[in-house]
Amino acid sequence: MIKKIFIAACLILAMVSVGVRIYQENNHDQAFAQDQPKQTSDDKKIPKKKLEKSNGQKESVIARRDVGIEIGNLAPDFTLPTIDGQDVSLSSLRGKKVILNFWATWCPPCRKEMPDIEAFYSKHAKDKNVVVLAINLTSAEMSVNDVKTFIKEYKLTFPVLLAKKEETAVLYQAVTIPTSYIIDSSGVIRSKRIGPMDQKWMEQQIDAIR
């Protein structure tokens, strides 16, 4: 009889021991789960937001262009007076295509290209949305009157700007003249030519850009 009671007591103790152990393990698992941060709906969006931010930064880098005089650069801005005394800035012509031409009255190749530039401008200024800015290197002229006489002689109708100092010519490295730049409506340099232009070349260059 005593033996049976002893065996029953041992079984009860064993069952209690197992129950306590199971209870402790369950509490441990619950406590561990509570210590872990829950993934909220906002947390799930974090990778997407990071991706969007990364893409945005990449796009801004692609969209940004350096200012310079190489093809693909944003053309450096400048402000110069016309022969009539009105200031013109290159940046004010955004939305239009621009032919930027550096020249002087005493330059034979410049004289040669002027009739072609005038013919192109008078024919296509409106239908091709283009402006010609002829920058005279006035600092290398005898006088402004020589420029005025030249304009009348060649019957030029496009804007002639006076570069009374060398800064703009140096900025665009117009060492040999004529030097010309083709600039699109976004202000980006698309082509460069050292030497006289002809009407056909100007038409091809302007038709190739927006």
Side-chain angles (χ1 to χ4, degrees), residues 16 19 31-33 37 47 64-65 67 73 81 106 112 121 136-138 158 160 167-168 187 197 200 203 206:
V16 170
F32 179 78
R64 187 179 68 246
R65 293 181 181 275
V67 175
N73 288 160
W106 43 263
K112 179 181 179 181
Y121 181 75
N136 173 261
L137 304 185
T138 315
F158 50 81
V160 174
E167 281 86 345
T168 308
M197 299 181 290
K200 182 179 180 180
E203 289 173 348
I206 293 301

Short mmCIF file of all heavy atoms in Angstrom, two decimals, residues 16 19 31-33 37 47 64-65 67 73 81 106 112 121 136-138 158 160 167-168 187 197 200 203 206:
data_model
loop_
_atom_site.label_atom_id
_atom_site.label_comp_id
_atom_site.label_asym_id
_atom_site.label_seq_id
_atom_site.Cartn_x
_atom_site.Cartn_y
_atom_site.Cartn_z
N VAL A 16 3.65 17.75 -12.23
CA VAL A 16 3.77 19.17 -11.82
C VAL A 16 5.03 19.79 -12.38
O VAL A 16 5.06 20.93 -12.87
CB VAL A 16 3.74 19.29 -10.28
CG1 VAL A 16 4.09 20.70 -9.84
CG2 VAL A 16 2.38 18.88 -9.75
N GLY A 19 4.60 20.45 -16.03
CA GLY A 19 3.71 21.59 -16.23
C GLY A 19 4.40 22.92 -15.98
O GLY A 19 4.23 23.88 -16.72
N ALA A 31 7.58 36.74 -23.79
CA ALA A 31 8.42 37.89 -23.44
C ALA A 31 9.35 38.24 -24.58
O ALA A 31 9.59 39.41 -24.89
CB ALA A 31 9.22 37.56 -22.17
N PHE A 32 9.91 37.23 -25.27
CA PHE A 32 10.81 37.48 -26.40
C PHE A 32 10.06 38.16 -27.53
O PHE A 32 10.55 39.08 -28.16
CB PHE A 32 11.40 36.14 -26.87
CG PHE A 32 12.31 36.28 -28.05
CD1 PHE A 32 13.61 36.73 -27.89
CD2 PHE A 32 11.86 35.98 -29.33
CE1 PHE A 32 14.45 36.89 -28.99
CE2 PHE A 32 12.69 36.13 -30.41
CZ PHE A 32 13.98 36.58 -30.24
N ALA A 33 8.83 37.69 -27.76
CA ALA A 33 8.03 38.29 -28.83
C ALA A 33 7.69 39.74 -28.53
O ALA A 33 7.67 40.59 -29.42
CB ALA A 33 6.74 37.48 -29.03
N PRO A 37 10.52 44.52 -32.09
CA PRO A 37 9.70 45.58 -32.68
C PRO A 37 8.75 45.02 -33.71
O PRO A 37 9.13 44.19 -34.55
CB PRO A 37 10.74 46.50 -33.34
CG PRO A 37 11.92 45.64 -33.59
CD PRO A 37 11.93 44.64 -32.46
N PRO A 47 11.42 50.69 -47.36
CA PRO A 47 12.22 50.38 -48.55
C PRO A 47 11.74 51.13 -49.78
O PRO A 47 12.52 51.60 -50.58
CB PRO A 47 12.05 48.87 -48.70
CG PRO A 47 11.69 48.38 -47.34
CD PRO A 47 10.87 49.48 -46.74
N ARG A 64 20.77 67.52 -64.21
CA ARG A 64 21.63 68.67 -64.01
C ARG A 64 22.75 68.67 -65.05
O ARG A 64 23.40 67.67 -65.29
CB ARG A 64 22.24 68.62 -62.60
CG ARG A 64 23.02 69.89 -62.26
CD ARG A 64 23.60 69.82 -60.84
NE ARG A 64 24.63 68.81 -60.74
CZ ARG A 64 24.55 67.72 -60.02
NH1 ARG A 64 23.45 67.45 -59.36
NH2 ARG A 64 25.54 66.84 -59.97
N ARG A 65 23.01 69.83 -65.64
CA ARG A 65 24.09 69.96 -66.61
C ARG A 65 25.08 71.01 -66.11
O ARG A 65 24.68 72.00 -65.51
CB ARG A 65 23.55 70.38 -67.98
CG ARG A 65 22.69 69.31 -68.65
CD ARG A 65 22.21 69.79 -70.01
NE ARG A 65 21.36 68.82 -70.67
CZ ARG A 65 21.81 67.80 -71.40
NH1 ARG A 65 23.09 67.62 -71.55
NH2 ARG A 65 20.96 66.97 -71.97
N VAL A 67 27.69 74.09 -66.44
CA VAL A 67 27.84 75.27 -67.29
C VAL A 67 29.23 75.23 -67.90
O VAL A 67 30.23 75.01 -67.21
CB VAL A 67 27.66 76.56 -66.46
CG1 VAL A 67 27.93 77.79 -67.32
CG2 VAL A 67 26.25 76.63 -65.88
N ASN A 73 26.96 71.11 -72.62
CA ASN A 73 26.97 72.02 -71.46
C ASN A 73 25.89 73.09 -71.60
O ASN A 73 25.48 73.43 -72.71
CB ASN A 73 28.32 72.73 -71.34
CG ASN A 73 29.44 71.83 -70.86
OD1 ASN A 73 30.60 72.14 -71.06
ND2 ASN A 73 29.11 70.71 -70.24
N PRO A 81 25.16 94.97 -74.36
CA PRO A 81 24.28 95.93 -75.01
C PRO A 81 24.23 95.73 -76.52
O PRO A 81 25.22 95.30 -77.13
CB PRO A 81 24.92 97.28 -74.66
CG PRO A 81 26.39 96.96 -74.56
CD PRO A 81 26.46 95.57 -73.98
N TRP A 106 36.77 93.84 -89.33
CA TRP A 106 38.01 93.72 -90.09
C TRP A 106 38.37 92.28 -90.45
O TRP A 106 39.40 92.02 -91.07
CB TRP A 106 39.17 94.33 -89.30
CG TRP A 106 39.16 93.95 -87.84
CD1 TRP A 106 38.65 94.68 -86.81
CD2 TRP A 106 39.65 92.74 -87.26
NE1 TRP A 106 38.79 94.01 -85.62
CE2 TRP A 106 39.40 92.81 -85.87
CE3 TRP A 106 40.25 91.60 -87.77
CZ2 TRP A 106 39.75 91.80 -84.99
CZ3 TRP A 106 40.61 90.58 -86.90
CH2 TRP A 106 40.35 90.69 -85.52
N LYS A 112 32.56 87.40 -95.10
CA LYS A 112 32.06 86.41 -96.05
C LYS A 112 30.76 85.77 -95.57
O LYS A 112 29.86 85.51 -96.38
CB LYS A 112 33.13 85.33 -96.27
CG LYS A 112 32.70 84.23 -97.22
CD LYS A 112 33.80 83.17 -97.37
CE LYS A 112 33.36 82.06 -98.30
NZ LYS A 112 34.41 81.01 -98.45
N TYR A 121 18.50 84.40 -91.26
CA TYR A 121 17.70 85.04 -90.22
C TYR A 121 16.40 85.62 -90.77
O TYR A 121 15.33 85.42 -90.21
CB TYR A 121 18.52 86.14 -89.55
CG TYR A 121 17.79 86.84 -88.44
CD1 TYR A 121 17.62 86.22 -87.20
CD2 TYR A 121 17.27 88.12 -88.61
CE1 TYR A 121 16.95 86.86 -86.17
CE2 TYR A 121 16.60 88.76 -87.59
CZ TYR A 121 16.44 88.13 -86.36
OH TYR A 121 15.76 88.77 -85.35
N ASN A 136 29.89 91.40 -81.57
CA ASN A 136 31.04 92.09 -82.17
C ASN A 136 32.13 92.30 -81.11
O ASN A 136 31.86 92.75 -80.00
CB ASN A 136 30.61 93.45 -82.73
CG ASN A 136 31.79 94.27 -83.21
OD1 ASN A 136 32.27 95.16 -82.51
ND2 ASN A 136 32.29 93.97 -84.39
N LEU A 137 33.37 91.95 -81.48
CA LEU A 137 34.49 92.14 -80.56
C LEU A 137 34.91 93.61 -80.62
O LEU A 137 35.93 93.98 -81.20
CB LEU A 137 35.64 91.21 -80.94
CG LEU A 137 35.30 89.71 -80.98
CD1 LEU A 137 36.54 88.89 -81.25
CD2 LEU A 137 34.65 89.27 -79.69
N THR A 138 34.09 94.43 -79.99
CA THR A 138 34.24 95.88 -80.07
C THR A 138 35.56 96.34 -79.46
O THR A 138 36.11 97.39 -79.86
CB THR A 138 33.07 96.58 -79.37
OG1 THR A 138 31.84 95.94 -79.77
CG2 THR A 138 32.99 98.05 -79.75
N PHE A 158 19.49 91.30 -87.75
CA PHE A 158 19.56 90.54 -86.50
C PHE A 158 20.31 91.34 -85.44
O PHE A 158 21.07 92.28 -85.77
CB PHE A 158 20.22 89.17 -86.73
CG PHE A 158 21.53 89.22 -87.46
CD1 PHE A 158 22.72 89.55 -86.82
CD2 PHE A 158 21.58 88.94 -88.82
CE1 PHE A 158 23.92 89.59 -87.49
CE2 PHE A 158 22.79 88.97 -89.52
CZ PHE A 158 23.96 89.30 -88.85
N VAL A 160 22.91 92.84 -83.06
CA VAL A 160 24.37 92.92 -82.96
C VAL A 160 24.71 93.44 -81.56
O VAL A 160 24.29 94.54 -81.18
CB VAL A 160 24.97 93.85 -84.03
CG1 VAL A 160 26.47 94.03 -83.80
CG2 VAL A 160 24.70 93.30 -85.43
N GLU A 167 35.80 89.92 -71.74
CA GLU A 167 35.34 88.84 -70.88
C GLU A 167 34.50 87.80 -71.62
O GLU A 167 34.72 86.59 -71.47
CB GLU A 167 34.52 89.40 -69.70
CG GLU A 167 35.35 89.99 -68.58
CD GLU A 167 35.70 91.45 -68.83
OE1 GLU A 167 35.55 91.91 -69.98
OE2 GLU A 167 36.13 92.12 -67.88
N THR A 168 33.54 88.24 -72.42
CA THR A 168 32.65 87.29 -73.09
C THR A 168 33.39 86.46 -74.12
O THR A 168 33.17 85.25 -74.24
CB THR A 168 31.47 88.03 -73.75
OG1 THR A 168 30.84 88.88 -72.80
CG2 THR A 168 30.45 87.04 -74.29
N GLY A 187 18.90 76.10 -73.64
CA GLY A 187 20.15 76.76 -73.28
C GLY A 187 21.37 75.87 -73.34
O GLY A 187 22.44 76.25 -72.83
N MET A 197 30.10 80.43 -91.40
CA MET A 197 28.92 79.58 -91.58
C MET A 197 28.28 79.90 -92.92
O MET A 197 28.46 80.99 -93.47
CB MET A 197 27.90 79.85 -90.47
CG MET A 197 28.37 79.57 -89.06
SD MET A 197 27.06 79.89 -87.84
CE MET A 197 26.95 81.69 -87.92
N LYS A 200 23.02 76.85 -95.54
CA LYS A 200 22.66 75.44 -95.50
C LYS A 200 23.08 74.81 -94.18
O LYS A 200 22.31 74.04 -93.57
CB LYS A 200 23.31 74.70 -96.68
CG LYS A 200 22.94 73.21 -96.73
CD LYS A 200 23.59 72.53 -97.93
CE LYS A 200 23.22 71.05 -97.98
NZ LYS A 200 23.86 70.36 -99.14
N GLU A 203 20.78 75.93 -91.36
CA GLU A 203 19.47 75.27 -91.45
C GLU A 203 19.54 73.84 -90.92
O GLU A 203 18.66 73.39 -90.18
CB GLU A 203 18.99 75.27 -92.91
CG GLU A 203 18.57 76.65 -93.40
CD GLU A 203 18.25 76.65 -94.89
OE1 GLU A 203 18.57 75.64 -95.56
OE2 GLU A 203 17.71 77.65 -95.38
N ILE A 206 19.97 73.94 -86.98
CA ILE A 206 18.77 74.38 -86.27
C ILE A 206 17.64 73.36 -86.41
O ILE A 206 16.90 73.12 -85.45
CB ILE A 206 18.32 75.75 -86.80
CG1 ILE A 206 19.34 76.83 -86.43
CG2 ILE A 206 16.95 76.12 -86.25
CD1 ILE A 206 19.58 76.98 -84.94
#
